[in-house]
Amino acid sequence: MSIAATSQNSGPEHDAQQSPPLLWPRISLVTPVFNSAKYIEQTIQSVLSQNYPNLEYIIVDGGSTDGTIDIIRQYQDRLTSWISEPDNGMYDALNKGFARTTGEIMGWISATDQYHVGGLAVVGSVFRDLPQVEWITGRATGFNEAGMTTVVLDVPHWSRFRFLAGANRYIQQESTFWRRSLWQRAGSRVDDSRRFAADFELWVRFFRHAQLYPVDALIGGFRAHGDSLGLQDMDRCHRIQQEMIEEELRSAPSRFWLRGFRGLSAAASRVPGIRGLWQRLVMNNLYRMPGPDWPPIIEHRDDVWLLRSR
C-alpha cells in the first residue's frame, strides 16, 4: 500500500517580518522514517519551527505501523509532500525523497534527530553569501534521549587528505548541507545498497570535488538513543568505513603514502602499549595541526559571514 500527499505550500508558514523568500536559497530537506512515533514529532517540529522562508520539506515513510503516519498527517499542510510505502531502508527512502526535490541546497534529517533554533537560517545565509562554498558542516552537537542538548564540540577541521588518513572520520550528517551542483557531480544519489555508513560513502565522493567548510555555528544534532543502528554496532560501522577508504585509495592522489601510513596506524592500534601513544601523538596532531589543506572557518561577524584563515 502506498500513500502520497502533496501540499500547495512551498514550505512552512513564515512571518511577514522575514525577508522575502527570493532572498534565501531554497533548501530541500528530506526525512526518512520507519516506525519512529516516539521521536518523529519532535523532528518535524524542529524543522517547521525554523520558519525558514524558502523550504522544501519532504517526508518519506517506509510503511510505518506504530502511529508515525498519524503524526505526519497532523503536519501535512505544512509539508511540501510526503509518501508512505514499503522501501529498502533509510537510504532508499532518501533517494526517493531527493528525486522529488528542486532546491539549490540539500540535506537530510533523520526521524530521531533535530535542528537547533535558527539552524536553517545559518545554512541558507552561508550559501547565499558565500557562492564559492559548496559543502558545509557546523559544530557537532548531541541531544540526549529526552531531546536536551548535552554535547557541543569545537569547530571541526576537515580535509580530504586527513579524512582518508583516518584522522577525522566523523562528519556529523545532521549539520551537513551541500549545493545541488555538488550532489550532481558526485552521482546524484546515496548508495542505497548499504544498511550502514552510506553517509560516509557520500562524503568520500564529495571530497573528490570540493572542500568541506566548517561553520562556527549550531545547525543540527544527533540524538543518542538505544534504537540507533550506528550506536548498536560501532565496530561494524568502522569496518565498513575502512573498506570504503581502501576502495577510494585505489585511485586517490598520494595513495601510496596514505596506504603506508594507514598500515602503520593499523599495526600500532593492535599493540596495547602503543595504541594510546599513537592516538595522542600522531592521530590527534594530524587532526589538529593547521596546514594548507584546511579551508577557512566560516564565522559570523557584524551580521555577515566571513572566511577566517586558521
Side-chain angles (χ1 to χ4, degrees), residues 178-189:
W178 57 89
R179 294 190 189 274
R180 183 172 295 273
S181 56
L182 176 60
W183 169 258
Q184 292 170 338
R185 296 203 306 280
S188 299
R189 65 183 292 105

Side-chain angles (χ1 to χ4, degrees), residues 230-242:
L231 293 181
Q232 287 174 4
D233 199 345
M234 289 295 291
D235 289 341
R236 183 180 181 186
C237 283
H238 290 166
R239 289 195 301 271
I240 293 171
Q241 290 169 357
Q242 298 290 5

Side-chain angles (χ1 to χ4, degrees), residues 114 116 138-145 147-154 172 174-175 217-224:
Q114 299 179 102
H116 294 284
R139 285 180 180 257
T141 64
F143 302 101
N144 67 8
E145 189 158 0
M148 296 185 296
T149 304
T150 55
V151 177
V152 179
L153 301 184
D154 292 337
Q172 187 175 69
E174 298 80 18
S175 296
L218 304 185
I219 298 174
F222 170 80
R223 186 198 299 263

Side-chain angles (χ1 to χ4, degrees), residues 216-261:
D216 189 3
L218 304 185
I219 298 174
F222 170 80
R223 186 198 299 263
H225 61 96
D227 296 330
S228 170
L229 290 177
L231 293 181
Q232 287 174 4
D233 199 345
M234 289 295 291
D235 289 341
R236 183 180 181 186
C237 283
H238 290 166
R239 289 195 301 271
I240 293 171
Q241 290 169 357
Q242 298 290 5
E243 292 169 1
M244 292 175 181
I245 289 178
E246 289 302 320
E247 178 67 24
E248 184 70 4
L249 287 179
R250 293 183 181 182
S251 58
S254 303
R255 57 187 176 275
F256 300 112
W257 189 94
L258 283 168
R259 279 179 171 165
F261 178 84

Side-chain angles (χ1 to χ4, degrees), residues 276-292:
L277 190 64
W278 178 268
Q279 184 64 42
R280 290 193 302 273
L281 298 183
V282 179
M283 300 305 291
N284 288 351
N285 283 329
L286 182 59
Y287 179 82
R288 296 168 181 160
M289 188 180 301

